[in-house]
Amino acid sequence: MPVRLLLLALGTFAVGTDSMVVAGILAPVAADLGVSVPAAGQLVTVFALGYALLAPVLATLTARWPRRRLLLTGLTVFGAANALSALAPTYDLLLATRVLAAGGAALYTPTANAVATALVAPERRGRALATVLGGMTVATALGVPLGTWVGRTDWRLTMWLVTALGAAALAGIALLLRELPAPSAAVGLRDRLAPLGRPRVLGAAATTLVFFLAFQCVYIYLSTAVAGATGGDAGRLSLVLLTAGVMSVAGSWLGGRLVDRVGVRRVLLAGSAAAAATFAALPWLGRSMPGALVYAVVVPLAGWAVSVALPHRLASIDPGSAPLLISLNSSALYLGTAAGGVAGSWAIAVLGGRWFPLAAAGLALVAAGVAAATTRDAAAGAPAAAEAGAAAA
């Protein structure tokens, strides 16, 4: 496997770890900064919202920049922001640094995907993209539980870990990626948003947004949902997160094969239904470690299978515009994550720490309903998605 692709994947690993590791250190962040756990959860919300809103804007503003400059600038901003997060003395300043980190991630990740597809022959683009995006998946499997474990005594150590990962990727890319292909023709912001005027595209984006709203409503506050099982012990929480991460990798693998075999519609409906049922059972599963581990197996497996089906679905609508459509899917994903942080906080306030996953169950059923109403029985074509990495994430 080319070293240059692995360096790009190291960058996406750092970004993926940063985007979700806060979910594992909410309690120490809240205690240190004197805020509630739901308030600490808004750190994930502002990162996701910042990414969703900044990605298309920054892509438009920097469309004519050389790709190497984009990669290096993105990682520099990302690393500096995480260092500032580690040093932030107050909650408000920490929120501001998370927005800055999101800006760096929004510059880096889409560019890394585009570079990956440009570094290899056309017939190898799908594998190159899978390698770079695999950094995000591995972040869920290893980066988040590792960051949670590192931050069990001081959450600031977790932010320094992410800073170091970003710095390593920055150094490697600066040394080994000296000449890169020129970027393709610039696409304006209006052109990026124009596909949302098509009902099928809007329905697909809405499915992505609602599903990740449901999924992240619980994941961001998973430490609260399984508090009865972990007793507040960071080691037990790390085990739950590690299990969830490993099953996320398995879900990605399984989702790709199921989409090819049974079609997007069935994967979306079955995955959403499985997630809804497990969310509904979580108030009881979360009382013991075996139950928490059942959740950590089922929901990530189903959720990541669905996450593979969603971009495949959009790419199949108009294969010629697949990169643009997949970028919309990514924005919807991050908007759903941001909304999930708000919805989870609200659900905890209204339903309590044990029962709030019931709200996620209802949202997952809504996602299934949107998918059922806006998809066809025919399988969506996968090949277009494999060629579409230039704008993914």
Side-chain angles (χ1 to χ4, degrees):
M1 186 178 297
V3 173
R4 294 188 295 179
L5 291 180
L6 292 178
L7 288 172
L8 294 172
L10 177 59
T12 57
F13 175 77
V15 169
T17 301
D18 190 39
S19 66
M20 291 310 303
V21 74
V22 174
I25 55 173
L26 291 184
V29 169
D32 183 40
L33 299 181
V35 298
S36 67
V37 169
Q42 301 315 302
L43 296 170
V44 179
T45 298
V46 297
F47 184 98
L49 184 61
Y51 188 109
L53 297 179
L54 289 172
V57 174
L58 291 175
T60 301
L61 294 176
T62 62
R64 300 186 185 279
W65 284 25
R67 285 173 169 170
R68 186 170 184 271
R69 184 196 298 176
L70 279 170
L71 291 173
L72 296 179
T73 301
L75 285 176
T76 299
V77 172
F78 175 81
N82 275 283
L84 291 172
S85 293
L87 297 171
T90 66
Y91 175 73
D92 290 340
L93 286 176
L94 183 57
L95 280 174
T97 66
R98 303 318 298 145
V99 175
L100 185 61
L107 274 177
Y108 175 80
T109 307
T111 308
N113 293 332
V115 169
T117 60
L119 289 176
V120 298
E123 66 272 13
R124 298 184 64 86
R125 286 176 180 170
R127 280 169 284 185
L129 178 61
T131 299
V132 175
L133 291 180
M136 303 288 284
T137 308
V138 175
T140 305
L142 297 178
V144 172
L146 174 62
T148 300
W149 183 80
V150 168
R152 67 193 186 281
T153 56
D154 185 353
W155 64 270
R156 297 177 190 275
L157 294 177
T158 299
M159 309 316 297
W160 285 119
L161 171 65
V162 176
T163 303
L165 291 172
L170 175 65
I173 290 172
L175 291 173
L176 300 177
L177 268 72
R178 294 189 174 276
E179 295 184 7
L180 296 175
S184 56
V187 178
L189 184 59
R190 179 178 298 179
D191 293 331
R192 291 177 182 275
L193 299 179
L196 289 174
R198 300 165 59 181
R200 292 182 65 197
V201 173
L202 184 60
T207 304
T208 299
L209 190 152
V210 178
F211 181 81
F212 276 90
L213 167 58
F215 186 84
Q216 300 292 3
C217 178
V218 170
Y219 186 84
I220 293 172
Y221 301 103
L222 187 58
S223 60
T224 299
V226 299
T230 65
D233 181 73
R236 289 189 173 191
L237 179 59
S238 295
L239 176 60
V240 174
L241 291 171
L242 176 62
T243 303
V246 171
M247 297 313 297
S248 298
V249 176
S252 295
W253 179 87
L254 180 64
R257 282 147 185 81
L258 287 178
V259 165
D260 291 339
R261 179 166 297 185
V262 304
V264 164
R265 178 183 173 87
R266 292 181 181 178
V267 174
L268 291 177
L269 296 182
S272 297
T278 311
F279 287 143
L282 187 54
W284 294 273
L285 294 175
R287 309 305 291 173
S288 68
M289 277 301 291
L293 292 174
V294 168
Y295 165 86
V297 169
V298 176
V299 169
L301 187 68
W304 280 78
V306 168
S307 73
V308 171
L310 291 166
H312 273 262
R313 175 190 178 188
L314 269 167
S316 71
I317 293 174
D318 182 2
S321 302
L324 190 57
L325 295 175
I326 291 180
S327 71
L328 290 176
N329 180 78
S330 183
S331 290
L333 184 157
Y334 276 95
L335 284 173
T337 298
V342 175
S345 176
W346 175 85
I348 290 173
V350 173
L351 301 176
R354 178 178 179 182
W355 301 102
F356 81 94
L358 296 178
L363 290 168
L365 291 177
V366 171
V370 174
T374 59
T375 54
R376 301 172 180 175
D377 289 331
E387 298 289 336

